[in-house]
Amino acid sequence: MSRFVIYKNGALLVETDRYSYRKFSGNHNTILVNGRGQASIGRSDVSHWNQPATGPTDMTKQARLMVFKDEGEIVIAEGEAGGAYPPLKAEKDRKASLGLERFRRTIVWVESNCVLILDDIRSRQPADISWLIQAKRIETVNPEVGQYIIAHENASAKLQIVSDAKLDSEIVDSLADDRGNPLGWKQLRAHARNVGEVRFATVIALWNKDAKIYLRRFKFDAWEVVVKLLQGEDRWVWVASTNLEKPYRLEGVLRSGRKVLSGE
């Protein structure tokens, strides 16, 4: 759940690496903490993913699926991956990290409408959190409000990312490779600097419809997410769980009037 891809018109639109020898988290659509990726429990971080240390390891302590709900035209998946970012020591110019308390990602697929991605990230100390997505091509529309276009040869989609923290974003060459050969993808990196916690809300308008997204905190650990479309809007209430063992509550009213409920 901490990584995802999206397929459209014969090829991946949201891309990933192929057979990479390095296994960098930065090759994928996930997050970095102080520039570092995911690390296995029991091993020090060397800026790329590796197998767990020898001996019994409960992988659910690193990442696990919390919700999967398929209602035909609407699919909701929620996962927790905070354990994949454990405390790490500093190396040269890299900052030390006390790790994440929480990395809760929810992905909502609304057929003929959009894909919604909600991320709640909480660090044990202030850190730089970088949100990543990559594609064959990424074009800037309006960086001040987080609007971009992702594309491959036969398809494109508008994307907007917003946050409850100030973001500075950049488009860079992705490090994704296939057996050491660079794939040539572009990567959008949205950075929230020196934050103890941060929320990201992202909409991808897969069906070539203009979509704008708004995120507003209206009470402790609860946010309103509004996706404005050409005709109407989807409104969501996103409520954090009280502990890591429980799913978030996500309640939506779509522009069609259909109601959606997930979690508690």
Side-chain angles (χ1 to χ4, degrees):
M1 271 307 303
S2 68
R3 306 175 183 186
F4 67 97
V5 296
I6 296 177
Y7 186 88
K8 182 178 180 181
N9 286 8
L12 287 175
L13 181 62
V14 177
E15 273 285 3
T16 188
D17 66 6
R18 298 300 185 258
Y19 192 93
S20 176
Y21 300 132
R22 301 180 300 174
K23 308 299 182 187
F24 286 104
S25 295
N27 291 6
H28 302 276
N29 305 296
T30 185
I31 65 168
L32 303 178
V33 180
N34 289 337
R36 296 174 180 268
Q38 299 175 12
S40 301
I41 296 173
R43 288 183 183 263
S44 61
D45 176 45
V46 289
S47 300
H48 66 275
W49 186 88
N50 48 45
Q51 292 290 346
T54 56
T57 301
D58 184 356
M59 297 297 288
T60 65
K61 299 299 183 183
Q62 292 186 255
R64 59 196 178 279
L65 187 65
M66 306 296 294
V67 170
F68 183 79
K69 188 171 187 177
D70 185 348
E71 295 188 347
E73 294 181 350
I74 299 172
V75 178
I76 300 174
E78 177 189 321
E80 171 58 46
Y85 296 81
L88 302 168
K89 295 185 291 185
E91 295 176 6
K92 295 183 180 180
D93 58 345
R94 294 181 180 272
K95 298 178 183 178
S97 174
L98 294 180
L100 295 184
E101 292 181 347
R102 185 174 297 204
F103 173 19
R104 188 63 59 94
R105 167 164 282 180
T106 301
I107 299 179
V108 184
W109 171 280
V110 184
E111 184 74 27
S112 299
N113 189 339
C114 64
V115 173
L116 178 65
I117 305 167
L118 303 174
D119 294 304
D120 182 10
I121 301 154
R122 307 186 186 194
S123 177
R124 293 185 176 88
Q125 67 180 16
D128 293 346
I129 308 297
S130 301
W131 190 97
L132 314 179
I133 192 169
Q134 58 193 357
K136 284 188 172 66
R137 190 172 81 250
I138 302 178
E139 301 172 4
T140 299
V141 177
N142 186 347
E144 303 226 342
V145 295
Q147 292 177 328
Y148 301 87
I149 292 174
I150 55 176
H152 61 59
E153 293 82 357
N154 301 314
S156 65
K158 295 179 180 179
L159 174 151
Q160 185 181 15
I161 178 170
V162 297
S163 175
D164 58 0
K166 181 180 178 180
L167 298 181
D168 64 89
S169 301
E170 58 182 339
I171 297 173
V172 301
D173 293 333
S174 170
L175 296 177
D177 70 291
D178 181 20
R179 292 176 169 82
N181 299 310
L183 290 165
W185 309 155
K186 291 296 183 180
Q187 186 174 77
L188 170 64
R189 295 190 170 203
H191 308 285
R193 308 287 187 182
N194 197 35
V195 294
E197 58 182 64
V198 61
R199 262 63 51 179
F200 296 94
T202 307
V203 63
I204 301 174
L206 277 186
W207 288 266
N208 297 315
K209 296 177 180 177
D210 193 21
K212 296 182 176 65
I213 191 166
Y214 301 88
L215 174 68
R216 180 181 70 91
R217 188 174 196 160
F218 66 92
K219 64 179 181 179
F220 180 73
D221 270 0
W223 299 266
E224 180 184 46
V225 181
V226 179
V227 178
K228 290 188 177 292
L229 304 157
L230 290 177
Q231 296 178 335
E233 62 184 27
D234 297 344
R235 304 186 73 91
W236 300 88
V237 174
W238 182 37
V239 184
S241 59
T242 55
N243 63 64
L244 291 179
E245 305 308 316
K246 294 183 178 181
Y248 281 26
R249 180 182 177 88
L250 183 64
E251 187 172 354
V253 179
L254 305 185
R255 59 177 178 159
S256 64
R258 179 173 177 174
K259 295 182 179 180
V260 183
L261 178 63
S262 175
E264 297 177 329

